């Protein structure tokens, strides 16, 4: 090493020591309060102590990990201000980008940043405040100091009058104070504040708290038993429990759904009166199974792009079909393994995914790897043409999880399955190497476990948008996929129309369908077909049934005259009906299944 290199290395070491020492002196604390909850505001104070710099940049994340869309959380920030150590000195600041405020410290060692956040978006990934409770989705409320994401933070909450509980995965301190070891943990720890109904259960050596918000007809004892079954079942796959505490925050609404995973907690949306029906209850357990499986898959076993996070920009990966799709595969499979679904019911649910993929024209256009990469611009921003151009990495990924599972079980004579791949990946890349995996590394591990090449699987199913040969894969288990519409010549207009202000409005077209080819457009109002009046003033379901029934009584190849209004102008379009390409599927047992095929089926369906 020459002298110049020695000098450069010394300078670098000094710089690193200085930054590390500065971080060690800096302390960050937050105070949350609610002066106007009825107006949907949370008041935030960010107290920075031990500063030794002329200026700092404080930033608001632009997205929430697990929900791959830039949501521009800084749009909800207002009344930003900064005071010095005395509490009276007003410090200057300037906004330098959409989510960055540069603060001049004026040599103050301690400063207090104050701002309000408008929180009135109901979802599992956004904050919501009203006079009954507050849900804090951290990336939309807490700012961070640029370059100091590694610092710990303390959060103190001052609940609004009458609110008595706080539910969060953050480490509890005294009272309503909590600690995060760094900002990645803080941003991954949602907070529920109010009077939520809470209950606990132990499973897999971990204490679980369930915070029910909004009431509902749930049975706490039954949920405790069944949720514990799911926890134990999923833990058995990975043979490792990463934490000692876990929190479920459940928002029960008139109509609710969806979930978002976190490091040691999750937020679920549910229908408050849905627990009493078999379908509603199993749907909720499926949501629990999905989000809890993320405790391992994606929160720890993750593509390399998904951590450490860049909170300013998109974090691209082609492997969401593994992180989300495989999780979607396992959520239903876990219900089958624990007899919440019968084998027949599970196969029916599986056919639901098959129908979604096979009946969506976009499945022939967009590969699932591309769907994963483009989640940031497509999945969360659907339009009337989305189904013609893309496919969900959830549904397609779930089916690829099924196929890979069957291929591994078959190749290993029912000795191993996808479970073994997930466990081995978790042990290697999370527990041992402590990093994310690459696409090639996941493929290599699956090949190692199965003992077979997956070149064709990746080429045809992952990187191309070609058809899935379900028959060859299901045949490993002595099962057949049957299309109930096979051989039927069902006519189709190739459009979806719905009631909009009493009018029957075209909302979407099927690629290469009759309406697509002959010139009907989205937003056209359908007035009549062959002189038969159809109106959106009827019940929406009846409108759809009547129009579909009329077309069903015609034959592919026949012409119909559609009277429509486009931008206030009346016109007639002649449409040649085409054969409906959609399928309706069920899976049945082969009559001549071999012993080996039955062994695959037995392991797969936990018979």
């Amino acid at each position: 090493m020459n002298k110049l290199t020695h000098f450069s290395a010394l300078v670098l070491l000094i710089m690193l020591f200085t930054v590390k020492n500065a971080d060690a002196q800096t302390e960050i604390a937050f105070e949350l309060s609610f002066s106007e909850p009825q107006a949907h505001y949370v008041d935030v104070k960010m107290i920075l102590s031990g500063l030794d710099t002329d200026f700092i940049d404080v930033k608001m994340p632009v997205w929430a990990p697990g929900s791959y869309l830039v949501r521009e959380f800084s749009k909800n920030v207002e009344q930003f201000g900064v005071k010095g150590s005395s509490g009276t000195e007003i410090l200057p600041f300037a906004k330098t980008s959409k989510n960055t405020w540069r603060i001049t410290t004026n040599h103050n060692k301690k400063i207090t940043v104050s701002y309000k956040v408008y929180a009135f978006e109901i979802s599992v990934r956004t904050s919501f405040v009203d006079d009954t409770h507050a849900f804090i989705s951290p990336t939309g409320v807490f700012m961070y100091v640029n370059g100091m994401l590694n610092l710990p933070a303390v959060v103190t909450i001052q609940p609004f009058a009458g609110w008595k509980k706080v539910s969060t995965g953050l480490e509890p301190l005294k009272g309503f104070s909590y600690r995060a070891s760094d900002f990645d943990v803080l941003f991954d720890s949602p907070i529920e504040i109010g009077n939520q109904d809470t209950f606990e259960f132990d499973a897999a050596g971990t204490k679980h708290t369930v915070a029910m918000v909004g009431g509902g007809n749930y049975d706490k004892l039954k949920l405790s038993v069944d949720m514990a079954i799911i926890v134990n079942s999923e833990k058995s796959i990975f043979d490792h429990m990463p934490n000692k505490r876990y929190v479920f925050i459940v928002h029960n609404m008139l109509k609710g759904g969806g979930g978002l995973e976190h490091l040691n907690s999750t937020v679920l949306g549910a229908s408050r009166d849905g627990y009493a029906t078999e379908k509603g209850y199993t749907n909720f357990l499926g949501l629990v199974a999905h989000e809890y499986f993320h405790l391992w898959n994606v929160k720890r076993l993750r593509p390399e792009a998904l951590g450490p996070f860049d909170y300013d920009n998109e974090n691209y990966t082609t492997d969401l079909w593994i992180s989300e799709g495989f999780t979607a595969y396992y959520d239903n499979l876990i219900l089958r393994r624990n007899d919440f679904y019968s084998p027949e019911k599970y196969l029916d649910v599986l056919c639901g995914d098959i129908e979604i993929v096979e009946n969506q024209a976009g499945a022939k256009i967009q590969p699932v790897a591309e769907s994963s990469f483009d989640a940031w611009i497509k999945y969360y921003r659907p339009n009337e043409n989305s189904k013609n151009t893309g496919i969900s990495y959830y549904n397609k990924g779930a089916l690829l999880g099924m196929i890979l599972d069957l291929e591994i079980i078959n190749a290993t004579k029912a000795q191993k399955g996808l479970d073994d791949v997930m466990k081995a990946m978790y042990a290697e890349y999370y527990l041992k190497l402590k990093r994310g995996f690459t696409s090639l590394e996941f493929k290599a591990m699956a090949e190692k476990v199965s003992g077979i090449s997956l070149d064709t699987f990746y080429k045809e199913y992952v990187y191309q948008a070609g058809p899935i040969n379900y028959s060859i894969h299901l045949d490993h288990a002595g099962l057949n996929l049957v299309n109930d519409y096979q051989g039927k010549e069902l006519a189709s207009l190739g459009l979806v129309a719905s009631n909009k202000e009493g009018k029957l409005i075209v909302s979407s077209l099927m690629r290469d369908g009759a309406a697509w080819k002959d010139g009907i457009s989205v937003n056209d109002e359908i007035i009549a077909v062959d002189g038969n009046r159809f109106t959106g003033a009827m019940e929406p379901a009846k409108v759809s049934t009547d129009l579909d029934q009329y077309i069903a009584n015609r034959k592919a190849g026949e012409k119909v005259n559609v009277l429509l209004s486009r931008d206030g102008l009346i016109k007639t379009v002649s449409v040649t009906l085409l054969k409906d390409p959609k399928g309706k599927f069920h899976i049945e047992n082969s009559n001549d299944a071999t012993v080996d095929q039955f062994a695959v089926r037995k392991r797969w369906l936990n018979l």
Side-chain angles (χ1 to χ4, degrees), residues 63-68 139 144 149 183-185 187-188 261 263 298-299 302-315 376:
W63 69 289
S67 180
Y68 307 102
T139 50
Y144 66 97
L149 282 169
F183 274 74
D184 287 321
V185 171
F187 289 150
D188 218 3
E261 69 277 3
L263 273 173
V298 89
K299 295 314 304 181
R302 58 175 177 79
E304 59 180 351
L306 299 184
F309 294 116
D310 177 353
Y311 295 103
D312 274 355
N313 301 288
E314 297 87 347
N315 293 231
W376 296 91

Side-chain angles (χ1 to χ4, degrees), residues 217-352:
N217 59 356
Y218 51 86
D219 181 328
K220 289 189 280 190
L221 180 59
K222 182 176 176 60
L223 280 175
S224 296
V225 172
D226 290 342
M227 292 170 74
I229 290 172
I230 290 170
V231 168
N232 287 323
S233 182
E234 294 186 345
K235 185 262 181 180
S236 68
I237 295 173
F238 296 92
D239 197 28
H240 176 261
M241 199 66 178
N243 50 48
K244 294 297 182 183
R245 292 177 61 245
Y246 192 91
V247 178
F248 293 92
I249 298 173
V250 185
H251 290 151
N252 294 302
M253 296 168 282
L254 180 62
K255 293 182 179 180
L260 188 64
E261 69 277 3
H262 297 280
L263 273 173
N264 67 343
S265 62
T266 186
V267 185
L268 309 178
S271 297
R272 67 171 61 94
D273 294 324
Y275 297 93
T277 66
E278 180 180 357
K279 180 179 180 181
Y281 189 69
T282 53
N283 283 348
F284 178 74
L285 292 183
L287 182 60
V288 169
H290 183 99
E291 300 305 334
Y292 204 85
F293 196 83
H294 276 314
L295 183 64
W296 298 275
N297 190 32
V298 89
K299 295 314 304 181
R300 290 165 176 86
L301 172 60
R302 58 175 177 79
E304 59 180 351
L306 299 184
F309 294 116
D310 177 353
Y311 295 103
D312 274 355
N313 301 288
E314 297 87 347
N315 293 231
Y316 293 105
T317 174
T318 58
D319 290 324
L320 290 181
W321 64 276
I322 297 173
S323 298
E324 292 291 353
F326 282 17
T327 303
Y329 169 62
Y330 270 102
D331 57 28
N332 289 318
L333 190 62
I334 292 297
L335 296 192
R336 164 64 217 121
R337 287 178 179 177
N338 294 285
D339 291 321
F340 295 112
Y341 282 153
S342 67
E344 295 76 17
K345 176 61 177 177
Y346 172 69
L347 294 178
D348 285 345
V349 171
L350 192 62
C351 283

Side-chain angles (χ1 to χ4, degrees), residues 32 39 101-102 150 164 166 168 177 183 278 289 350-351 389 393 441 551-552 590:
L32 299 186
W101 289 258
R102 173 160 291 185
N150 62 311
K164 299 178 181 179
V166 174
T168 180
S177 291
F183 274 74
E278 180 180 357
L350 192 62
C351 283
T389 63
Y393 46 80
E441 286 168 340
I551 298 301
S590 300

Side-chain angles (χ1 to χ4, degrees), residues 308-607:
F309 294 116
D310 177 353
Y311 295 103
D312 274 355
N313 301 288
E314 297 87 347
N315 293 231
Y316 293 105
T317 174
T318 58
D319 290 324
L320 290 181
W321 64 276
I322 297 173
S323 298
E324 292 291 353
F326 282 17
T327 303
Y329 169 62
Y330 270 102
D331 57 28
N332 289 318
L333 190 62
I334 292 297
L335 296 192
R336 164 64 217 121
R337 287 178 179 177
N338 294 285
D339 291 321
F340 295 112
Y341 282 153
S342 67
E344 295 76 17
K345 176 61 177 177
Y346 172 69
L347 294 178
D348 285 345
V349 171
L350 192 62
C351 283
D353 273 328
I354 293 174
E355 288 172 10
I356 289 173
V357 172
E358 292 305 304
N359 293 338
Q360 188 159 320
K364 301 176 180 63
I365 302 297
Q366 185 185 50
V368 72
E370 181 183 298
S371 172
S372 299
F373 193 85
D374 282 348
W376 296 91
I377 58 173
K378 291 190 175 182
Y379 183 77
Y380 290 96
R381 290 192 177 110
N383 61 26
E384 66 281 354
N385 200 40
S386 292
K387 290 185 177 180
N388 291 318
T389 63
I391 193 64
S392 166
Y393 46 80
Y394 283 91
N395 304 113
K396 183 77 173 283
L399 294 179
L400 295 189
M402 172 200 75
I403 290 169
L404 190 55
D405 202 3
L406 285 168
E407 289 300 312
I408 296 170
I409 297 172
N410 181 66
T412 62
K413 299 189 180 300
Q415 296 304 302
K416 294 181 180 180
L418 187 57
D419 286 13
D420 298 278
V421 177
M422 303 303 286
K423 180 180 178 180
M425 287 293 296
Y426 182 82
E428 179 71 13
Y429 291 98
Y430 175 67
L431 294 177
K432 180 181 177 181
L433 299 179
K434 303 184 186 306
R435 66 170 176 84
F437 61 82
T438 68
S439 299
L440 289 177
E441 286 168 340
F442 192 96
K443 176 176 179 287
M445 184 66 78
E447 290 178 329
K448 179 180 178 181
V449 170
S450 65
I452 59 176
S453 170
L454 293 174
D455 288 349
T456 301
F457 174 88
Y458 269 78
K459 177 183 177 182
E460 295 184 356
Y461 293 163
V462 178
Y463 298 120
Q464 293 180 7
I468 294 176
N469 189 341
Y470 299 99
S471 298
I472 191 172
H473 306 294
L474 288 170
D475 185 62
H476 295 323
L479 298 170
N480 297 317
L481 180 68
V482 179
N483 184 356
D484 298 332
Y485 291 169
Q486 188 71 35
K488 295 183 178 181
E489 295 292 326
L490 302 176
S492 171
L493 266 177
L495 61 78
V496 175
S498 56
N499 183 347
K500 186 175 181 181
E501 298 178 353
K503 300 176 180 179
L504 186 58
I505 306 298
V506 176
S507 56
S508 66
L509 302 177
M510 180 187 298
R511 179 182 289 271
D512 294 326
W516 173 291
K517 288 180 176 292
D518 289 333
I520 293 179
S521 177
V522 168
N523 295 328
D524 284 351
E525 176 193 355
I526 295 179
I527 300 172
V529 180
D530 289 341
N532 295 282
R533 181 71 184 270
F534 297 98
T535 171
M538 294 186 282
E539 290 291 330
K542 190 176 189 318
V543 171
S544 175
T545 300
D546 286 354
L547 181 58
D548 291 345
Q549 185 62 49
Y550 179 80
I551 298 301
N553 289 328
R554 309 299 295 267
K555 295 181 179 179
E558 290 185 7
K559 291 184 180 292
V560 295
N561 292 313
V562 181
L563 180 67
L564 56 84
S565 172
R566 179 178 298 167
D567 192 31
L569 301 177
I570 304 298
K571 65 182 300 183
T572 299
V573 177
S574 179
V575 179
T576 301
L577 298 178
L578 299 178
K579 179 184 175 182
D580 192 343
K582 292 182 179 179
K584 180 76 171 67
F585 301 95
H586 75 271
I587 295 173
E588 61 184 27
N589 298 335
S590 300
N591 294 326
D592 55 352
T594 66
V595 172
D596 288 342
Q597 286 173 316
F598 186 75
V600 172
R601 189 193 309 173
K602 182 179 179 181
R603 178 182 175 104
W604 180 43
L605 297 180
N606 196 37
L607 299 178

